[in-house]
Amino acid sequence: MFEIEIDRTACDGIFACLTRDERFVEDDDGLATVDPNAEDVVSVSRDGDRVVATVDGDIDDANLAAQACPPNAIVIREAET
């Protein structure tokens, strides 16, 4: 299990993440978020300008999405258990 964290103040809406991991989607504000209905997404929470999703699935695409993010707005880390 791992977590995806998106800093919405850093996100610039280029959406390089969306092309690398289908769990990333554009929200109503034109910024990246995680689709709470994606198959292996356990939960998604938003606290101000921060989105945190817990995912029980393959981490490889999430890492590719984070690496592709020009402003480095995405952090991938192992979930605390």
Side-chain angles (χ1 to χ4, degrees), residues 9-43:
T9 61
C11 180
D12 57 8
I14 290 176
F15 302 122
C17 56
L18 274 66
T19 64
R20 290 173 176 78
D21 188 331
E22 63 186 22
R23 293 172 286 214
F24 289 86
V25 293
E26 181 179 354
D27 71 7
D28 293 338
D29 296 325
L31 300 174
T33 192
V34 177
D35 182 355
N37 299 314
E39 184 175 324
D40 54 0
V41 173
V42 176
S43 66

